[in-house]
Every structure is written in structure tokens, then in C-alpha cells.
Amino acid sequence: MYNSKYVISGLVIFLAVFSYPFWGNLASKDYTGPKLSLPTDQKQCIEPVEFMRSQHMTLLNQWRDSALREGKRVYVASNGATWDASLQKTCMSCHTNKAEFCDTCHLENAVEPYCWTCHVPPKGNE
Amino acid sequence: MKRSRRQFLKVASLSVAGLGAQLAAGGMTKAAAAVKPSYKEDALALKAKRWAMVIDTREFTSKEDFDACINACNTAHNIPHIPGKTEIKWIWKDAYEHTFTDTTNKYQSKEIEDREYFMLCNHCENPPCVRVCPTQATYKLESGIVAMDYHRCIGCRFCMAGCPFGARSFNFTDPRPYIKEVNPKFPTRMIGVVEKCNFCVERLDAGKLPACVEAAQGKIHFGDLSDPESEVRKLLEENFTLRRKPSLGTEPGVFYII
């Protein structure tokens, strides 16, 4: 092969750079999710944590339609507890720290919800 | 090793079946974990087939009488105070000739002509705003209230063009800086949406009368128009009342005792 010296060393460099995400990640630390400041006085969210983590926007959409269109403003959770279907009155009364609860996760995931252009975050966190 | 077509198909079909089974199992566990939502009304909620308001205009004599109601509404709903033409209005007052444009009697009671009258969304039976809204951001509830869903409003202002009462305001700027004290129990609005009086549907659903009715201390009455025994129907029977622009056929739900 002509210029095998250059070709082979070039190939090796290319493979090293190309596969960097794989071996680079093997060497680095495990990814840890952002640390959220959870309410101190509440242990139980309205639904199980896993559900809230993945489905909170679905739930809020349902709350909105139920409250505004049907006038049904009380949510009956899967464990039977009842909640005011309101982002401001229910969610934000426990999660009083918007900056360290909502924002940390949304920043990490590059999600920019515009809830706060209308809904009022709890005082002291603006 | 050479593989026959038959052998290949056997392996391929098995692997597809295996993959399918796995997906189905995963789907089932997901479905089991899903939450079955259920919603109900507040036990205290006030109910009516057709909400209506009767304003006793004879009782509103001083600026304080009007201001009490306007301020109650403003604080309840985070209505900004923006001076000038871009102001936001839910409930406001205006002169006789602006309120009752259809009456054209030149020589009538000076006292009535000099009075000021409350204006607000009339929560019409045939609301033109609802008909022209392309996104159903404004809609009529079963109780007759014309409500707004600000999540859906795209700010096209068709409803403002449709409303013959000028009861809708557009947010030309972010209203937040113009709100003196934000009420954390009610959202504000954002730039680019149309807003208006909602007959305090959020208070009715919680068993309370509208904020202006409460603040008026008996000068404004609120009740079910479809119920002959209701307070508003009795007042309509006993007093001479007007509605705004009746010739348009929108059937307003706000009545004025003259």
C-alpha cells in the first residue's frame, strides 16, 4: 500500500476521535440528575413520584380543561385524596421554591415552559 | 455455511415475535402504572342554568360606590392599571349615551342621562365573540357564562371585532409591571392575549358570589335567570330594566334597573 504510514496512523486517529463518546463516557462519572429542593413538610405528592416526573404536564393539561371547560375543579387522586385542580393553589403551595424545583430540572433538560408568564410563582422565588 | 430461505424465515419470524412480545409486556406494565384521573365539582359550587346580573343604577350615586366594585374586581383578578388607550377593562363606568345607544329620545329625564353606568361583559346568550374565535379560546359554559381560556388565545382579536359592547381588552404589553399587588390565588395574563370579565366563574365554582356583587353590598344582584323564584327574576318583575343594544339580538345577561 502506498503511504501506509500516513494512512494507518490517520485511520487510528480518526477511530479514536470517532469513538470518543463511548470510551470517554466509560471513564467519566455516572450521570446524576439535578438535586431538587423538595417540600420539607410534605411527603406525598398528588400522584406517585414516577408518574409526576414523567406526566406532570399531561396532568396539568387535564386539570386546565376540567377546571375551565367543565367546572370540575376538584381532582380525585388515585389514592382517593382530593386536590384543588390549580397549579398556583395546589402545586405551588407545596413547591414554594420555583428556582430550585422547577427551574433546575427544566434547565437540565433544556425545556422552557412559559407557565410563569401568567401563573404567579410563590413569593420570594422570583 | 449456506442458509436456505426456509431457515432464514424461521429465525426472522421468531425474532419478530419475541420483539413484539417484549413490547406488549412493556406496554402492559406501563398501562398498569398509569393513573386513572377523576374529577368532581366543589361541593360548595353555586349552580344555575343561566347566570344573570341585575345592576340597580339608582343606587350608584358616588364615585366611591363605583370604585368599591371596580377595585374588588381588580384585586381579585390581577387587572393591571395601564393608563391611556391600551388600558385593560373588566368592569368600568361610562355615560348614558355610551351605555344605551339604542334609546334615541331627545327629551328625557336629565337625572337618568347624567347618571353613570357600569359596563362589563354581558355574557350574551348568542355571543358573537364565541362564534368568531378561531381557536375556541373563548367559549360559552352551560351556565351561560362566556369564559376565556388564555392558554389557547392567539391574540387575533376577532372577538374584539365581534363584541358589540367593547367588553374585551388586548394586552399590548406585559401587564405584570402594572399590577400593584399580585394576588397569588389568580393568574395574571401575558402580552398578546385578549381578556375580559368572567362573571367570577372561579368564585362561583367555589361557592362565592362575584367580587363586584359582594363589594356592591346589595346594589348589584346576581342569580339564576331561568329560575322564576330567583332574586334576579323578582327584581326584573318589579322594576323597569334595560339591556344594552337589544336590537343586536345577542341577549345580554346584564340588566340595568333604571
Side-chain angles (χ1 to χ4, degrees):
Chain A
M1 188 158 52
Y2 295 112
N3 294 329
S4 61
K5 206 166 40 174
Y6 301 111
V7 170
I8 288 169
S9 55
L11 271 176
V12 167
I13 291 169
F14 169 74
L15 279 177
V17 172
F18 184 77
S19 60
Y20 171 74
F22 297 100
W23 51 262
N25 268 341
L26 276 180
S28 67
K29 278 181 281 172
D30 282 346
Y31 168 77
T32 47
K35 283 223 160 50
L36 307 179
S37 94
L38 295 169
T40 46
D41 53 341
Q42 293 282 335
K43 280 271 163 283
Q44 173 86 38
C45 197
I46 55 160
E47 293 290 354
V49 174
E50 277 310 313
F51 176 82
M52 292 312 294
R53 210 170 270 163
S54 58
Q55 307 280 319
H56 59 283
M57 272 318 292
T58 318
L59 191 73
L60 286 174
N61 268 344
Q62 288 171 358
W63 278 22
R64 176 196 63 202
D65 289 341
S66 165
L68 292 183
R69 308 250 162 193
E70 294 165 42
K72 293 180 178 168
R73 291 173 189 260
V74 177
Y75 176 72
V76 187
S78 52
N79 63 1
T82 54
W83 302 87
D84 208 348
S86 161
L87 172 66
Q88 265 174 234
K89 288 188 219 161
T90 303
C91 306
M92 300 323 283
S93 67
C94 282
H95 299 288
T96 49
N97 201 335
K98 178 198 165 242
E100 283 169 38
F101 183 75
C102 315
D103 292 353
T104 20
C105 230
H106 286 153
L107 264 177
E108 191 93 354
N109 290 295
V111 178
E112 269 186 75
Y114 44 87
C115 309
W116 315 110
T117 53
C118 293
H119 290 277
V120 185
K123 264 197 174 156
N125 295 307
E126 266 243 81
Chain B
M1 185 182 96
K2 201 162 186 220
R3 223 169 247 186
S4 69
R5 182 195 295 216
R6 180 179 286 263
Q7 261 178 324
F8 170 76
L9 284 175
K10 268 184 201 163
V11 174
S13 61
L14 266 179
S15 37
V16 166
L19 197 71
Q22 206 177 8
L23 282 176
M28 272 196 285
T29 48
K30 230 182 184 176
V35 171
K36 283 233 172 66
S38 88
Y39 295 86
K40 63 177 187 186
E41 276 156 8
D42 196 317
L44 298 168
L46 298 178
K47 299 250 161 206
K49 276 199 189 127
R50 173 78 171 101
W51 285 118
M53 181 180 273
V54 176
I55 302 173
D56 195 342
T57 63
R58 300 166 303 190
E59 299 276 337
F60 284 93
T61 47
S62 68
K63 189 175 175 297
E64 286 75 41
D65 290 343
F66 286 101
D67 284 352
C69 301
I70 295 173
N71 291 338
C73 179
N74 286 356
T75 46
H77 301 115
N78 289 325
I79 298 164
H81 178 70
I82 305 174
K85 279 187 173 174
T86 59
E87 68 181 329
I88 305 288
K89 298 181 295 188
W90 281 35
I91 182 166
W92 70 104
K93 55 180 177 173
D94 210 334
Y96 177 85
E97 67 264 30
H98 296 152
T99 315
F100 303 108
T101 49
D102 283 1
T103 32
T104 51
N105 186 353
K106 236 164 129 188
Y107 310 105
Q108 59 184 1
S109 160
K110 186 100 180 70
E111 196 270 320
I112 287 175
E113 270 193 352
D114 286 348
R115 251 185 238 164
E116 280 188 303
Y117 298 86
F118 260 139
M119 287 196 192
L120 67 157
C121 170
N122 281 294
H123 298 275
C124 308
E125 223 147 290
N126 310 308
C129 53
V130 170
R131 208 162 58 226
V132 296
C133 177
T135 63
Q136 289 173 29
T138 189
Y139 52 95
K140 207 174 124 194
L141 293 169
E142 270 175 42
S143 57
I145 293 176
V146 177
M148 278 291 298
D149 182 349
Y150 300 105
H151 305 89
R152 293 187 74 141
C153 180
I154 55 170
C156 69
R157 287 174 270 172
F158 281 22
C159 58
M160 294 180 77
C163 177
F165 303 103
R168 292 171 163 266
S169 308
F170 184 67
N171 281 283
F172 286 96
T173 50
D174 177 18
R176 279 247 175 104
Y178 297 95
I179 305 168
K180 254 185 231 144
E181 202 167 323
V182 175
N183 167 17
K185 294 257 169 74
F186 200 82
T188 68
R189 266 71 56 197
M190 65 182 286
I191 183 172
V193 297
V194 175
E195 61 177 272
K196 68 169 197 74
C197 153
N198 64 352
F199 252 18
C200 283
V201 60
E202 85 283 357
R203 288 173 63 94
L204 295 171
D205 282 349
K208 286 186 273 186
L209 281 172
C212 60
V213 176
E214 210 175 84
Q217 293 176 323
K219 298 196 232 4
I220 302 179
H221 308 268
F222 200 74
D224 190 353
L225 195 63
S226 68
D227 175 13
E229 297 301 309
S230 71
E231 190 195 359
V232 289
R233 279 287 288 276
K234 286 195 175 129
L235 282 164
L236 293 181
E237 238 164 70
E238 290 160 9
N239 299 283
F240 175 69
T241 50
L242 286 179
R243 282 196 288 181
R244 294 187 62 201
K245 308 191 182 183
S247 58
L248 298 175
T250 65
E251 300 281 332
V254 177
F255 298 78
Y256 297 86
I257 298 177
I258 300 299

